[in-house]
Amino acid sequence: MSSPPSHRLRDIVALALALVVAAAAAATPVRVAVLANRPAADVMARWQPLVRYLNESVPGYRFECETYGYDELEQAIAQRTIDFVLTNPSHYLLMTYRNGLSSPLATLVPIDRGRVLSRFGGVIFAKAERTDITSLEKLHGLTIAAVSKGSLGGYQAQAVELARAGLHIPQDVALLETGMPQDLAVQAVLEGRADAGFVRTGVLEDLADKGALDLAQVRIIAPKSVDGFPLALSTRLYPEWAFAAMPGVDQDLARQVAGALLSLPHGSRLAQRMDIEGFTIPTDYEQVRAMLETLRLPPFDAVPEFTLEDIWNKYRWQLAGGILLVAVIALLTASLFLLNRRLAEEHQRIQDTSEGWRRLLTALGEGVYGVDLDGRCTFVNPAAEAMLGFSVQEMLGREQHALFHYRREDGTAYPADECPIAMTLQDGRARYVEDWFWRKDGTGFPVMLTTARMEQSGTHGGAVVVFRDISDRRKIESRLREEATTDHLTGVANRRLFLKQLEMELDRFKRFGEPAVLLMADLDYFKKVNDTYGHATGDAVLRHFAEVSRQYLRRVDLIGRLGGEEFGILLPGTDTADALQFAERYRSLVQGSPAPHRSGSIAVTVSIGIAEFAAGDDTPDTIMARADAALYAAKA
């Protein structure tokens, strides 16, 4: 006998529920740790929608959200009991140095009072009746409440501002650490346990919205005003929180999580429930690293070990020369006690001779030579011979400027009256400058040059010159400059250099009215290339695209990689009509230049957004926003 329909429906529902429960139980658990800068219950409630979103977007895993204070989060990271971390930038950098967190998968873009905030800072405040605290300098000798030295918005941003004002914690200002949440720092000030307090931007306004604080009770110290930033502010602005993976997390899972975060629709109802606009590509946290170094906070608080062996390896020639000099002085001093008064004048005459100086200077690693009043070489030490390639015989009696100092670094003529040695011979002043010498074989090298007047028997007897080869230092400086301004993958300008040039071009536009255009270019379906061929091939495609672009641009144009597969192109002296023609030719060129691949080639297309500089563009962000909007329209 068959079951009634109602019984069959109940059985089907029960079976479906059982399958769902079984699938959830079989899913791999993934723990997402969030730094609790506010009460733990508020933080948990805020980020639960994100966990549900990740569970829907990344099948096969069961995401769980947990909140931690600073100490608990650092312990969980050290013990590797979590998989992903959402924390403030300075804490992220510290954990990266200590525990090897990944590069950020994404950067948070929060919302406050309906405005998108890509940066945050710190607030310095006191009770409204403390009219004696009118500036940062007035905090000297007082007590400040803050959650922890590990908090960027709740301590570090403000501590840097105090340091720039000449105040250092705890030497000049006492610190009361309240622990999380930041509400405790506000409470300490209102209760009179501290004269002033540090909190992250937005905390005071949030407390006011909840009815826990009347903003009339507090007064902002050293307030700052930044266009487009709606919150009370006392410091510079810093990039927002980083979402990173723990070492050992499956790379495929990390990619899926990163993709889900970046795919979270900006401004969606889900994002609004978390008070965020969404997530964006990782931000440059160099500004935060520099701040930590300035404050000498972890991980930059350790003093490097410097041993006697290090001193000897670095200054061996100077020490050898010093030991030799001390030995000679000791010998001469002993001789003074042994020789009679009739030998004293003879000893002084020998000491004044250039031969005695040459014996001492032979041990020095720097090049040393002397010149007379006409600039002719009077003595040369072995190190100078080796570096210049001339023998002593070839240098003595020759005018030094004409011999190896006759041209500048760029090959142009070097007037003799501008030579620092000639200037010292004329005015007697010592000089310490960078200059350029030429070897006997015609090759040049940079030198750090010191020249000083030389006295003989109380009269001006010429000058002594000490120099050393700084070629290695120049190479290091050049490499550091290149690393700071060049995208390591594609070789084009990085985001920092591109934004700096964009700002300079905007200043030129405002001053002279010369037209300029910004293009935002984005490779189409680049994620599919990575998914199909792998990230190594994706990187090769980006390099190919950059090379094709460089060959097509003028020398005055600039291309920079802004992140991922997005590039910016700056066209000075160009209006919209010319830019449209350029963009069409450029798009066709890219499409007609497939990237080589072992299986043939990979076709590449590009979407382009164009924004001409306009009178209303106050900052590079304004221009980039218009170009981005045009890019999204082009992609659509």
Side-chain angles (χ1 to χ4, degrees):
M1 181 176 179
S2 61
S3 301
S6 60
H7 290 179
R8 288 198 299 272
L9 178 60
R10 182 183 60 191
D11 293 341
I12 293 172
V13 171
L15 178 60
L17 289 175
L19 292 175
V20 170
V21 171
T28 302
V30 178
R31 302 178 67 187
V32 179
V34 181
L35 176 65
N37 64 333
R38 303 304 307 279
D42 293 348
V43 176
M44 181 68 75
R46 179 185 182 185
W47 295 110
Q48 276 301 329
L50 178 63
V51 170
R52 288 194 292 270
Y53 169 73
L54 291 175
N55 280 321
E56 296 171 358
S57 303
V58 185
Y61 296 92
R62 185 177 72 256
F63 288 83
E64 302 169 353
C65 180
E66 300 178 0
T67 62
Y68 296 88
Y70 281 104
D71 294 339
E72 295 84 1
L73 180 55
E74 291 176 12
Q75 183 177 3
I77 292 174
Q79 295 175 353
R80 300 194 177 187
T81 58
I82 57 177
D83 301 291
F84 294 93
V85 180
L86 177 60
T87 186
N88 74 51
S90 63
H91 193 244
Y92 159 73
L93 289 175
L94 174 60
M95 294 298 96
T96 298
Y97 273 83
R98 286 183 178 174
N99 304 103
L101 290 186
S102 71
S103 296
L105 302 180
T107 294
L108 183 66
V109 183
I111 293 178
D112 193 284
R113 289 159 180 77
R115 295 193 182 184
V116 177
L117 301 179
S118 60
R119 297 178 294 171
F120 74 100
V123 181
I124 307 173
F125 69 97
K127 292 177 71 173
E129 56 263 30
R130 289 299 299 268
T131 56
D132 56 316
I133 308 176
T134 57
S135 65
L136 296 181
E137 290 76 11
K138 296 295 184 179
L139 293 171
H140 188 280
L142 302 183
T143 298
I144 290 178
V147 290
S148 166
K149 288 185 177 181
S151 173
L152 194 160
Y155 172 80
Q156 296 164 359
Q158 297 91 330
V160 166
E161 300 299 329
L162 263 63
R164 293 190 176 103
L167 299 180
H168 300 279
I169 301 174
Q171 296 91 327
D172 304 310
V173 181
L175 178 64
L176 171 64
E177 292 193 56
T178 64
M180 287 292 195
Q182 298 200 21
D183 307 35
L184 297 178
V186 180
Q187 183 178 346
V189 174
L190 296 179
E191 293 175 353
R193 292 185 286 116
D195 301 287
F198 293 167
V199 292
R200 175 190 161 117
T201 51
V203 170
L204 297 179
E205 291 85 353
D206 286 347
L207 289 174
D209 290 344
K210 294 178 180 179
L213 174 70
D214 183 353
L215 291 179
Q217 293 178 270
V218 297
R219 185 163 53 85
I220 308 303
I221 309 301
K224 294 182 181 293
S225 177
V226 177
D227 290 344
F229 193 80
L231 305 175
L233 177 69
S234 302
T235 72
R236 291 161 175 77
L237 292 175
Y238 296 90
E240 269 292 349
W241 285 28
F243 193 106
M246 287 289 295
V249 169
D250 181 71
Q251 292 298 306
D252 183 63
L253 171 59
R255 284 193 297 271
Q256 291 186 64
V257 171
L261 294 176
L262 297 176
S263 299
L264 177 66
H266 279 213
S268 64
R269 296 180 65 182
L270 173 62
Q272 291 173 4
R273 290 175 60 190
M274 296 180 280
D275 289 331
I276 65 173
E277 174 71 4
F279 288 86
T280 187
I281 58 176
T283 303
D284 184 358
Y285 292 107
E286 172 64 20
Q287 179 186 8
V288 180
R289 185 196 64 78
M291 177 198 66
L292 294 176
E293 286 188 335
T294 299
L295 294 176
R296 295 192 68 83
L297 288 174
F300 306 108
D301 54 339
V303 178
E305 182 180 357
F306 199 63
T307 65
L308 292 177
E309 182 180 358
D310 295 328
I311 296 175
W312 172 253
N313 290 335
K314 188 172 183 179
Y315 301 107
R316 66 178 65 186
W317 294 112
Q318 293 88 333
L319 289 173
I323 293 171
L324 178 61
L325 182 60
V326 169
V328 171
I329 292 174
L331 179 61
L332 294 175
T333 303
S335 298
L336 289 175
F337 289 99
L338 299 174
L339 296 176
N340 57 43
R341 299 179 68 177
R342 289 179 301 173
L343 297 177
E345 292 182 1
E346 179 65 14
H347 171 72
Q348 185 65 43
R349 186 187 66 80
I350 295 174
Q351 190 180 35
D352 288 340
T353 61
S354 60
E355 183 61 31
W357 283 110
R358 279 194 290 271
R359 286 198 299 268
L360 295 176
L361 294 173
T362 298
L364 293 178
E366 289 87 357
V368 182
Y369 64 93
V371 296
D372 61 16
L373 294 175
D374 296 322
R376 295 185 176 88
C377 295
T378 57
F379 66 87
V380 182
N381 80 335
E385 287 185 73
M387 282 189 274
L388 294 170
F390 293 97
S391 66
V392 174
Q393 292 74 18
E394 291 173 319
M395 295 178 65
L396 291 180
R398 296 282 299 278
E399 205 277 317
Q400 61 89 30
H401 188 77
L403 187 62
F404 51 81
H405 202 202
Y406 50 89
R407 282 185 288 148
R408 298 188 187 274
E409 181 177 354
D410 60 3
T412 59
Y414 197 157
D417 58 353
E418 295 179 12
C419 170
I421 296 96
M423 293 182 188
T424 295
L425 290 173
Q426 183 176 4
D427 59 22
R429 292 173 52 193
R431 287 173 170 80
Y432 183 73
V433 297
E434 284 193 23
D435 215 325
W436 190 268
F437 280 175
W438 295 91
R439 300 185 183 91
K440 182 180 178 180
D441 62 6
T443 60
F445 62 103
V447 296
M448 182 57 70
L449 181 149
T450 303
T451 176
R453 183 171 177 169
M454 185 168 54
E455 300 287 340
Q456 289 184 351
S457 301
T459 61
H460 186 4
V464 61
V465 182
V466 181
F467 68 94
R468 68 176 184 273
D469 188 343
I470 58 172
S471 299
D472 290 339
R473 194 191 79 185
R474 284 275 192 95
K475 292 176 182 177
I476 292 172
E477 291 173 348
S478 176
R479 185 168 67 250
L480 290 176
R481 282 194 300 270
E482 181 178 354
E483 291 176 355
T485 59
T486 304
D487 177 61
H488 72 278
L489 176 64
T490 62
V492 301
N494 63 12
R495 183 182 184 88
R496 180 188 304 167
L497 176 60
F498 187 86
L499 293 179
K500 182 177 179 181
Q501 292 297 116
L502 180 59
E503 185 175 14
M504 292 173 60
E505 190 61 35
L506 177 59
D507 290 341
R508 189 159 35 245
F509 168 78
K510 291 179 178 179
R511 186 173 181 181
F512 302 107
E514 296 179 0
V517 172
L518 172 65
L519 274 63
M520 301 293 282
D522 189 276
L523 297 184
D524 299 325
Y525 308 110
F526 184 74
K527 182 178 182 301
K528 185 176 181 180
V529 174
N530 278 335
D531 293 342
T532 304
Y533 300 97
H535 284 275
T537 300
D539 291 347
V541 170
L542 289 175
R543 287 192 294 268
H544 175 75
F545 170 78
E547 182 59 28
V548 170
S549 301
R550 274 199 300 262
Q551 294 177 1
Y552 182 63
L553 297 177
R554 304 170 301 178
R555 293 185 62 181
V556 297
D557 300 334
L558 177 67
I559 181 171
R561 186 183 179 202
L562 304 181
E565 66 273 20
E566 186 177 47
F567 293 77
I569 301 174
L570 183 59
L571 303 177
T574 305
D575 57 22
T576 302
D578 292 336
L580 286 170
Q581 296 180 10
F582 169 91
E584 284 299 329
R585 293 195 301 268
Y586 177 66
R587 189 169 59 84
S588 299
L589 174 68
V590 172
Q591 186 173 358
S593 304
H597 186 257
R598 62 178 178 272
S599 62
S601 62
I602 299 175
V604 178
T605 62
V606 63
S607 296
I608 302 172
I610 301 175
E612 184 176 9
F613 284 32
D617 293 329
D618 296 325
T619 66
D621 291 340
T622 309
I623 309 170
M624 293 185 69
R626 292 195 290 106
D628 268 330
L631 173 61
Y632 293 143
K635 274 191 171 295

